[in-house]
Amino acid sequence: MSYETAVASMYALGHELADAATHKFDLAHMRVLLAALNHPERKFPGVLIAGTNGKGSTAATLASILRASGLRTGLYTSPHLVRINERIRINGEKISDGDFALLHDVVDQTAEGLVEEAELPWHPSFFEMLTAIAFEYFAQNKVEIAVLEVGMGGRLDATNVIEPRVSVIADISLDHQKFLGNTVAEIAREKAGIIRPGGVVVTLPQQPRANDVIGNTILELGAQGVSAVPYVPPVSPGSEQYFAHAGTKPLTAEGAEKSACICSRYPLRVMGKQILVETPLVGRHQLRNVALAIAAAEVLSHQGFPVTAEAIERGIRETRWPGRFQVMPAKDGAPEYVFDVAHNPAGAWALRSTLSACYEERPLIFVFGAMRDKAIGEMAEILFPLAERVIATRADNPRSATPEEIEEAAARTATDIEHAVDVASALARARALAGSRAVVVITGSIYIVGEAMRILGVEV
């Protein structure tokens, strides 16, 4: 089977979140599939990272630290921006098209055989297939550790079949209520499903109801809770010395206006040594994700993995996580672009904070699109007041809200909203509106950001 055929076959399975087909979320079926594959998930140690926001950034940072420690490190994340291969990496390198096609064939044929023999009631879902492919790839390539981002929830997520060396829970907020529950407490119970009896869980204080659920789960399971608080730097107004201005450049011939994105750079004591944290992940909200990664790395060092303070410092500095406040400088008459996946209200608040810090005096043009099941109205009320103009568009995805639906949901904002039939049209209009001063912010769904990056030729 060719790579193109394999990818088409995957997408033909449909998207788990397109309807309420809850039968797709069942770990028993995932375990049957993995048993038939000779349990690849048992052939490497792993870390599970759950949360509503920040789990991908935490995973990318931790994987970079482990790689800097000399470990052959697997990283499994979701969703992807441009190509499905982005989700499965070893030492930063994406799975090749050939390996993807080959392993898809192995997993798909195994699954079809199980269905024919009535050992599975139906074919595994898109995410179950992809997770099995990742496990096979990591096992065959003998990774020394794998960092696994939970897809959704935790308790019934396909990744939750491994026995993690450490579980990490990033910030929890309302999202995917249709599947996870209508309150922060209900969602936290699903996320806490990655905690194991007697296991280790790294977390940070957050919303009180989430704290209660996580704390009670730790107590009930006799797990060891590890706080990442010692690794969060001061973020009060008086702590400006810890933040450096990066990427400053003149935007006019006179150099009168500058872009000044804040880059986190601060001293920190880790494993008995002083290091300088320099993270390319922009925004104060990222300080929490970096802290979680540091705490998880230190836990792994206590378990015998060769993690040092120096490796933590270098790994943080070398982290790459595209589409999270990623800036594309102005060039050849094109405006400056900012790509940021802010797909729920918590993500929107984080983006708003970072935009205010980086572009306080610059006009902003938004290209915005979201999935129909998201809190579009709330996100609009958070973000749209920052913009001179919003161009509402839709991704090539059946779950996408139409520009008309976005405008209706944003009725309480006073921002001017235009419609664009697709992302390419939205980008063309944004470029025309931006001129030499404005910054074009592409945000909302990861599908919007991914399509824009592909059209603009941004390397992922």
Side-chain angles (χ1 to χ4, degrees):
M1 184 180 288
S2 70
Y3 170 78
E4 291 76 15
T5 305
V7 172
S9 174
M10 289 288 293
Y11 284 129
L13 295 171
H15 199 292
E16 284 94 331
L17 306 188
D19 55 42
T22 54
H23 69 251
K24 288 185 179 293
F25 304 105
D26 189 328
L27 291 189
H29 299 157
M30 187 66 187
R31 291 188 175 105
V32 169
L33 175 61
L34 293 173
L37 292 167
N38 197 26
H39 288 294
E41 82 284 4
R42 298 178 182 175
K43 296 176 182 176
F44 53 86
V47 176
L48 277 177
I49 302 179
T52 306
N53 291 90
K55 58 184 175 174
S57 298
T58 304
T61 304
L62 178 58
S64 185
I65 291 171
L66 296 172
R67 181 182 173 193
S69 302
L71 292 163
R72 185 168 176 78
T73 305
L75 176 62
Y76 179 53
T77 58
S78 63
H80 58 275
L81 282 163
V82 178
R83 299 186 86 229
I84 201 169
N85 308 53
E86 297 163 32
R87 300 179 181 224
I88 304 170
R89 298 174 182 261
I90 294 178
N91 282 356
E93 295 295 322
K94 293 173 282 192
I95 185 172
S96 70
D97 290 359
D99 283 341
F100 185 91
L102 179 63
L103 291 175
H104 170 272
D105 199 32
V106 170
V107 176
D108 190 53
Q109 288 189 21
T110 302
E112 288 182 357
L114 291 168
V115 173
E116 288 174 6
E117 295 165 9
E119 293 188 42
L120 282 179
W122 44 69
H123 194 284
S125 69
F126 175 96
F127 191 71
E128 288 167 336
M129 285 285 295
L130 200 58
T131 304
I133 290 170
F135 289 165
E136 273 289 306
Y137 186 61
F138 294 156
Q140 289 186 15
N141 287 277
K142 296 180 170 55
V143 299
E144 294 170 282
I145 191 165
V147 179
L148 309 172
E149 178 190 357
V150 171
M152 184 182 73
R155 183 175 62 91
L156 295 177
D157 189 80
T159 59
N160 200 30
V161 293
I162 74 159
E163 289 303 317
R165 289 298 188 93
V166 58
S167 302
V168 182
I169 300 180
D171 289 343
I172 295 170
S173 59
L174 293 176
D175 201 9
H176 295 305
Q177 290 98 308
K178 181 178 177 181
F179 301 93
L180 302 180
N182 293 314
T183 67
V184 167
E186 289 175 333
I187 293 172
R189 286 188 194 97
E190 293 298 316
K191 309 288 185 187
I194 68 168
I195 301 173
R196 296 292 186 269
V200 182
V201 56
V202 172
T203 189
L204 278 168
Q206 45 183 300
Q207 296 189 52
R209 290 178 180 174
N211 289 339
D212 289 345
V213 170
I214 295 168
N216 287 333
T217 303
I218 290 170
L219 290 173
E220 289 165 7
L221 297 178
Q224 176 191 351
V226 174
S227 173
V229 166
Y231 303 123
V232 181
V235 290
S236 66
S239 63
E240 289 185 1
Q241 70 271 26
Y242 292 119
F243 301 96
H245 292 269
T248 302
K249 59 187 183 300
L251 295 174
T252 66
E254 296 77 23
E257 296 186 70
K258 295 179 183 293
S259 164
C261 282
I262 293 176
C263 168
S264 301
R265 182 180 296 143
Y266 49 91
L268 198 66
R269 193 155 187 83
V270 174
M271 298 173 67
K273 295 185 178 180
Q274 185 94 341
I275 67 171
L276 181 65
V277 172
E278 294 179 286
T279 173
L281 300 179
V282 179
R284 291 195 170 195
H285 61 289
Q286 293 287 7
L287 304 181
R288 292 173 60 84
N289 303 325
V290 172
L292 289 168
I294 294 172
E298 185 167 14
V299 169
L300 291 170
S301 76
H302 296 324
Q303 295 180 2
F305 291 91
V307 177
T308 63
E310 292 79 9
I312 290 173
E313 181 179 67
R314 183 159 69 90
I316 294 170
R317 188 173 61 246
E318 294 176 352
T319 301
R320 298 294 176 266
W321 190 228
R324 280 72 181 177
F325 211 89
Q326 181 174 348
V327 178
M328 182 178 177
K331 183 180 179 183
D332 299 332
E336 184 168 344
Y337 293 98
V338 173
F339 306 90
D340 191 82
V341 178
H343 59 89
N344 56 35
W349 278 117
L351 174 58
R352 176 172 175 151
S353 172
T354 310
L355 285 171
S356 297
C358 291
Y359 299 111
E360 186 177 8
E361 298 179 2
R362 297 277 301 280
L364 304 176
I365 307 293
F366 275 39
V367 172
F368 179 88
M371 297 296 102
R372 190 174 286 111
D373 59 339
K374 294 292 183 173
I376 298 172
E378 192 175 347
M379 288 190 285
E381 289 176 26
I382 295 164
L383 290 174
F384 289 9
L386 297 181
E388 285 197 350
R389 188 77 56 88
V390 172
I391 303 166
T393 189
R394 64 174 299 161
D396 183 18
N397 186 297
R399 292 171 56 222
S400 291
T402 65
E404 292 77 14
E405 288 169 332
I406 291 171
E407 184 173 23
E408 182 180 354
R412 290 170 58 179
T413 69
T415 311
D416 290 333
I417 301 175
E418 295 187 17
H419 297 181
V421 295
D422 54 31
V423 176
S425 302
L427 291 173
R429 179 59 176 156
R431 177 169 177 162
L433 290 169
S436 60
R437 289 192 64 232
V439 178
V440 176
V441 180
I442 302 158
T443 189
S445 164
I446 194 167
Y447 300 102
I448 295 289
V449 175
E451 285 188 31
M453 294 177 82
R454 177 179 54 79
I455 292 165
L456 295 172
V458 180
E459 179 66 25
V460 176

